[in-house]
Amino acid sequence: MALSPARIGEALAAFQHTLHERSRFDRFAQGEHRALTDLELQGLHLFRTSARCANCHFGPTLSDGRFHNLGIAFVGEPSQDLGRFEVTRRCEDVGRFRTASLRGVSRTAPYMHHGLFDSLQGVLNLYARGGGDPRNGRAGVAADPLYACAQRRSPHLKPLPLSAADIVALQAFLRTL
């Protein structure tokens, strides 16, 4: 049997179809109100409100499908990743990456486009700080025109008033997805 682009596409679609399993969150959303614990419900509430996650993570895939700059392009560093800019070559796309789906997120470490975090706690701490630190200590980096472009972080990012208990609750909720 010959491999054609159409056949490869069919195989990938069949494989992806096997990846989705009905989660506890799905059961909760379909009316099974005891599917989530009190801690997970607290995390869901934070997700929708003060943690601001639902600004970008919503709908069936828990993703807006858009590109956002989180301040982690690391311009001038060995781990530099310019994101969407590599495709468009537009300044406003430096450091912008597509919002990932949160389906099964607790099973997909490491996190972020370059595996920066080994745990969900690291990701949540990044968001709680309001994104990555745009400053860079390497000499001459600030003179790089891409550095100025990378400073344009998503307007959705703001430091969040989340306690350690809030982070624990958010992690508990994310494990239900």
Side-chain angles (χ1 to χ4, degrees):
M1 201 177 286
L3 284 181
S4 67
R7 187 114 173 106
I8 292 170
E10 290 169 7
L12 283 171
F15 170 72
Q16 287 180 332
H17 194 70
T18 69
L19 296 178
H20 182 71
E21 60 186 47
R22 193 167 168 245
S23 69
R24 286 192 304 118
F25 174 70
D26 292 327
R27 294 195 329 258
F28 173 80
Q30 293 167 350
E32 190 180 321
H33 297 114
R34 294 181 185 224
L36 301 185
T37 67
D38 287 345
L39 181 64
E40 293 162 347
L41 286 170
Q42 180 185 357
L44 170 59
H45 175 71
L46 290 163
F47 183 93
R48 291 177 171 168
T49 60
S50 59
R52 303 171 47 91
C53 306
N55 284 335
C56 300
H57 295 281
F58 57 84
T61 63
L62 295 169
S63 170
D64 64 3
R66 295 186 175 157
F67 293 84
H68 301 279
N69 180 343
L70 305 179
I72 54 175
F74 302 119
V75 173
E77 295 288 330
S79 58
Q80 172 179 290
D81 190 340
L82 302 177
R84 185 133 178 87
F85 173 82
E86 297 290 357
V87 174
T88 67
R89 309 311 281 182
R90 295 185 333 206
C91 177
E92 62 267 21
D93 286 336
V94 172
R96 289 177 69 192
F97 296 88
R98 187 181 305 268
T99 304
S101 169
L102 294 184
R103 289 289 182 176
V105 70
S106 65
R107 300 183 308 269
T108 60
Y111 301 103
M112 309 315 278
H113 61 279
H114 44 32
L116 182 62
F117 299 108
D118 292 331
S119 70
L120 289 170
Q121 181 175 349
V123 175
L124 292 169
N125 288 338
L126 170 78
Y127 284 109
R129 283 192 311 267
D133 187 350
R135 294 171 294 174
N136 190 316
R138 289 185 101 111
V141 170
D144 185 327
L146 295 179
Y147 180 77
C149 297
Q151 303 311 301
R152 299 176 183 180
R153 291 192 292 175
S154 171
H156 292 301
L157 291 174
K158 298 178 183 342
L160 304 172
L162 299 175
S163 68
D166 291 341
I167 298 290
V168 169
L170 282 162
Q171 287 179 84
F173 168 66
L174 291 172
R175 284 192 292 272
T176 73
L177 302 174

